[in-house]
Amino acid sequence: IAAALNDVVVRRLFTAGLDLEAALGLMGDHPASGKICHAVDELDQAIRDIRDTVLDHLAGERPVPQTSTSTT
């Protein structure tokens, strides 16, 4: 589930960010451009948060290596 979430949701968020950045290029110095820049920053942070959460989750599923405790 985590890998699928990462693929699907992150791609959608990334695409939305690209669309907003493209719109910024068309807007020039429009007063709303600051709001769009903030939205892009928030989408970027959401992507980082999702990736970090997925990686943490996947790391938790990996078996923990056993260390030898023998005394010789």
Side-chain angles (χ1 to χ4, degrees):
I1 293 174
L5 174 72
N6 188 35
D7 284 345
V8 174
V9 174
V10 168
R11 284 185 190 169
R12 284 184 176 172
L13 292 172
F14 185 75
T15 300
L18 289 177
D19 288 344
L20 288 171
E21 287 178 344
L24 276 173
L26 299 172
M27 293 178 66
D29 290 334
H30 192 278
S33 62
K35 295 272 188 191
I36 293 177
C37 283
H38 178 72
V40 170
D41 291 342
E42 290 295 312
L43 288 171
D44 288 342
Q45 184 60 51
I47 290 170
R48 285 190 293 274
D49 291 345
I50 290 170
R51 287 183 174 159
D52 290 346
T53 301
V54 168
L55 290 175
D56 288 347
H57 177 75
L58 293 175
E61 290 181 352
R62 294 184 190 130
V64 177
Q66 298 295 321
T67 58
S68 175
T69 59
S70 65
T71 55
T72 50

